[in-house]
Amino acid sequence: MSEQTIYKNFIDSKTGSKIPVLKNDKTIESKYNPEKEAENIINQITQSFKYFIVIGIGSGITLSLLNQKFPKAKIIGIEYSESDIQFLLQNESLQKLQINSNIKLITAESVFSTIQNTYLPVIDGNIRIIENKAWVNENKISYQIIAKEINRTLKNIGSDYSVQCHFGKIWLKNALNNLKLISKIKNKPFNIDLEKKAMIIAAGPTLEEHIKYLKENKDKFFIISTDTAYKSLLKYNILSNAVVSIDGQFISSTHFSKINNQSSETIFFIDICGNSSVCKKITSINNNLYLFSSKNPLSTFSEQYFNCKPLSLESGSGTVTISALDLAVKLGFKKIEILGADFSYSKGKTYTKGTYLEENFSINQNKLNPLELNYDKLLYRTELKEKNKKVFTTDILESYKTSLLEYFRQNNLSYLYENNIYKLEIENKNKYTFSNQFFNYKLFLSELNDNKTVIPLLPFMAFLKNKEENKDKTFEELCIIAHNQLLRYN
């Protein structure tokens, strides 16, 4: 351990506190009065913060004084490596701090996951970052890595919070409607042939290249379509065995405008917070509706009120293609291919033929507003990056691709990419058993209405906080408003 850590030993300061010494014989805290040094830093904090990040743990004196001044605040102390933390934990004072549930000692590698899982913007408010200047000066490369991870994490949380501000109300209304609906219907158990190859269908332009391949071999495949591609497949008389939808917006209902009795055997997997009009439309045709859970806290909260815990599907940075792939993996398929997952625009096209865009744009087209003009508006709505001849991408599309590759990595899935197809063969031991998806809506609603229930309503509270009249409201006031308004959607 001593060979890996940046620290050498401990010495006693003039005040009797044990402070760590670096291998270059320098200390990162005052040898004379480290307590006074930490007090000077903390006294500069004039606002009341609920979340602190401290870079450079040292003796832990700064963390201890922060905890004394802000006893309810979450405090994250960061060192570069696990060996550094283990060395510092030889100090009994730091061992006592570690017992405190509000204090976490983490490494650079754990920054993203820890902050992502503990920081709740609506509850915690702004973050205060404290840098141990001496530690930073002696560990410049480590500091740059940690700072980069913090910035990456906060950027991701900021994007997620913006989404919550926009969709918080929509998610709440959808979830309540969908859960009430599923509590009233009786869906049949699903038997799925796992010996078939699972075909994940996204709606990228290259899907058109594979339509013939799909039609000629459709009996050999279990076709799992994303919601955007579902209508395109119907255009070619290809019926999906399953369809996955995560979008809660009204526009997602247009993906299902062609649904009819032909789809009586199709299983529709809809996010608990997905568009409720889609679920209502599905149940008018059949009861092959299966709600799945996502990372939305309201969705997670509802899981305990199902008779059988629903599938929980990943979506990466928010793309339904990953949810469809995750479904195939969790069902137990061993051979999987992904078509139309281009994450780019090719030959001037944004999507394959037959999507909701083609239908919506066609309705309003005329000589002054041709179909091509509307596609061009969509194509150039954000800055394009040229990948190669006639193929362009954007930052958001690249983030979706990165998210898919990260899914492969996290799940140890090797793949082959050729002819615009992702091909996977995996040793899959999963096998999900479906049963009638009964939901106890009455009990769920009763406990959601309890004023002590907060976490499931955080996205809705983010939506409320974003409104001008609520921007100065405290967290406690937002809780009251959220529970009062909850009654309107019951």
Side-chain angles (χ1 to χ4, degrees):
M1 183 179 69
S2 60
E3 292 179 0
Q4 298 174 357
T5 182
I6 61 173
Y7 297 105
K8 177 181 179 181
N9 56 19
F10 290 93
I11 60 171
D12 291 331
S13 69
K14 296 294 183 182
T15 58
S17 297
K18 287 190 176 298
I19 59 174
V21 180
L22 297 169
K23 285 187 174 179
N24 61 5
D25 292 324
K26 294 183 179 180
T27 64
I28 58 171
E29 290 164 295
S30 170
K31 297 178 183 178
Y32 299 95
N33 196 333
E35 290 83 4
K36 184 66 176 178
E37 183 181 52
E39 283 176 8
N40 290 337
I41 295 171
I42 293 171
N43 287 338
Q44 295 175 25
I45 304 171
T46 56
Q47 293 177 272
S48 181
F49 287 88
K50 296 181 180 179
Y51 200 100
F52 292 92
I53 297 174
V54 180
I55 302 176
I57 295 170
S59 65
I61 291 173
T62 300
L63 276 66
S64 179
L65 293 180
L66 270 178
N67 182 242
Q68 291 174 30
K69 185 174 181 178
F70 305 97
K72 295 183 179 180
K74 300 171 186 175
I75 302 171
I76 309 297
I78 306 175
E79 286 283 329
Y80 180 71
S81 71
E82 185 62 33
S83 58
D84 293 335
I85 290 179
Q86 291 305 315
F87 179 90
L88 295 176
L89 282 172
Q90 295 177 74
N91 184 345
E92 290 184 8
S93 298
L94 198 59
Q95 291 175 23
K96 293 177 183 178
L97 285 180
Q98 196 181 31
I99 299 172
N100 190 320
S101 60
N102 284 341
I103 299 175
K104 294 187 182 301
L105 311 180
I106 68 170
T107 65
E109 188 178 26
S110 305
V111 166
F112 186 90
S113 60
T114 302
I115 299 177
Q116 186 81 24
N117 293 329
T118 58
Y119 176 58
L120 302 171
V122 176
I123 296 177
D124 299 325
N126 293 329
I127 294 177
R128 181 63 184 257
I129 299 176
I130 298 174
E131 298 176 355
N132 182 321
K133 297 298 183 184
W135 188 96
V136 170
N137 289 335
E138 297 300 323
N139 299 280
K140 288 185 171 62
I141 295 177
S142 297
Y143 168 73
Q144 289 172 3
I145 293 171
I146 291 170
K148 185 177 179 180
E149 277 299 285
I150 292 174
N151 288 334
R152 180 173 78 92
T153 307
L154 296 184
K155 183 179 179 180
N156 189 71
I157 290 173
S159 299
D160 186 49
Y161 184 66
S162 297
V163 172
Q164 290 183 34
C165 290
H166 185 74
F167 291 105
K169 181 179 177 181
I170 296 173
W171 287 338
L172 177 65
K173 292 177 68 175
N174 283 338
L176 292 174
N177 287 330
N178 291 339
L179 293 169
K180 182 185 290 186
L181 178 65
I182 205 73
S183 70
K184 295 178 179 179
I185 69 171
K186 186 175 182 180
N187 49 20
K188 62 183 182 182
F190 308 126
N191 294 313
I192 296 173
D193 185 357
L194 297 177
E195 295 304 313
K196 289 185 175 182
K197 181 184 293 183
M199 301 297 294
I200 311 302
I201 312 299
T206 63
L207 176 60
E208 295 167 29
E209 302 171 6
H210 309 300
I211 292 299
K212 184 179 178 182
Y213 169 58
L214 272 177
K215 292 188 76 169
E216 291 178 350
N217 298 279
K218 58 184 178 181
D219 292 338
K220 300 176 184 177
F221 305 143
F222 185 86
I223 298 174
I224 303 176
S225 175
T226 61
D227 47 10
T228 316
Y230 169 65
K231 188 187 292 186
S232 297
L233 294 181
L234 288 179
K235 179 184 178 75
Y236 296 103
N237 294 317
I238 300 174
L239 296 178
S240 302
N241 299 101
V243 182
V244 181
S245 181
I246 64 173
D247 194 355
Q249 299 178 91
F250 174 76
I251 192 67
S252 65
S253 64
T254 62
H255 299 319
F256 300 90
S257 62
K258 300 296 184 183
I259 188 173
N260 52 40
N261 290 327
Q262 284 181 299
S263 298
S264 61
E265 297 302 314
T266 300
I267 310 169
F268 294 88
F269 292 86
I270 310 295
D271 190 306
I272 288 171
C273 298
N275 186 273
S276 57
S277 64
V278 170
C279 292
K280 189 175 180 180
K281 194 166 192 175
I282 290 167
T283 54
S284 69
I285 302 298
N286 62 43
N287 285 343
N288 290 352
L289 171 65
Y290 189 91
L291 297 182
F292 66 84
S293 175
S294 61
K295 291 182 179 178
N296 188 298
L298 180 59
S299 177
T300 304
F301 174 75
S302 71
E303 289 180 7
Q304 60 190 303
Y305 302 98
F306 283 90
N307 63 320
C308 182
K309 186 177 180 180
L311 282 167
S312 178
L313 300 184
E314 297 291 330
S315 64
S317 58
T319 171
V320 67
T321 302
I322 292 179
S323 297
L325 171 60
D326 197 37
L327 173 63
V329 171
K330 287 176 177 172
L331 288 181
F333 284 97
K334 294 181 172 62
K335 293 184 178 181
I336 303 172
E337 291 187 4
I338 310 172
L339 311 182
D342 304 336
F343 306 112
S344 61
Y345 304 136
S346 58
K347 299 178 182 178
K349 296 179 180 179
T350 50
Y351 289 97
T352 191
K353 291 179 181 177
T355 66
Y356 73 106
L357 289 172
E358 185 175 300
E359 184 178 292
N360 292 355
F361 289 168
S362 296
I363 293 172
N364 299 314
Q365 74 169 325
N366 53 50
K367 290 182 179 179
L368 297 178
N369 187 43
L371 193 63
E372 290 77 9
L373 178 61
N374 285 299
Y375 277 117
D376 285 344
K377 287 179 181 178
L378 181 64
L379 186 67
Y380 293 103
R381 62 183 169 174
T382 55
E383 184 179 352
L384 295 178
K385 299 179 179 179
E386 188 171 5
K387 290 180 65 176
N388 49 59
K389 190 176 182 181
K390 296 184 179 180
V391 178
F392 298 87
T393 188
T394 65
D395 287 340
I396 187 67
L397 291 177
E398 285 186 332
S399 73
Y400 289 159
K401 182 174 181 178
T402 299
S403 198
L404 176 64
L405 298 180
E406 180 64 13
Y407 177 89
F408 291 152
R409 187 190 67 78
Q410 289 180 351
N411 291 277
N412 296 316
L413 302 178
S414 57
Y415 69 94
L416 178 66
Y417 184 70
E418 60 180 11
N419 299 324
N420 299 314
I421 303 175
Y422 290 92
K423 299 180 180 181
L424 299 86
E425 289 195 22
I426 58 180
E427 293 183 11
N428 198 342
K429 296 181 180 179
N430 293 326
K431 187 173 182 180
Y432 188 83
T433 302
F434 290 98
S435 61
N436 181 34
Q437 197 175 38
F438 175 75
F439 183 78
N440 192 332
Y441 186 75
K442 185 177 180 180
L443 181 59
F444 160 77
L445 199 57
S446 172
E447 298 199 12
L448 186 64
N449 275 313
D450 189 324
N451 289 333
K452 295 178 182 178
T453 302
V454 175
I455 300 299
L457 295 174
L458 287 179
F460 183 51
M461 291 167 66
F463 164 80
L464 294 172
K465 181 73 172 177
N466 199 44
K467 296 173 73 86
E468 183 65 27
E469 63 267 29
N470 296 326
K471 67 178 184 179
D472 296 323
K473 293 281 195 302
T474 65
F475 173 70
E476 289 72 20
E477 289 171 329
L478 285 173
C479 282
I480 295 171
I481 295 171
H483 279 98
N484 287 340
Q485 293 201 15
L486 180 61
L487 300 173
R488 299 182 185 180
Y489 305 123
N490 296 345

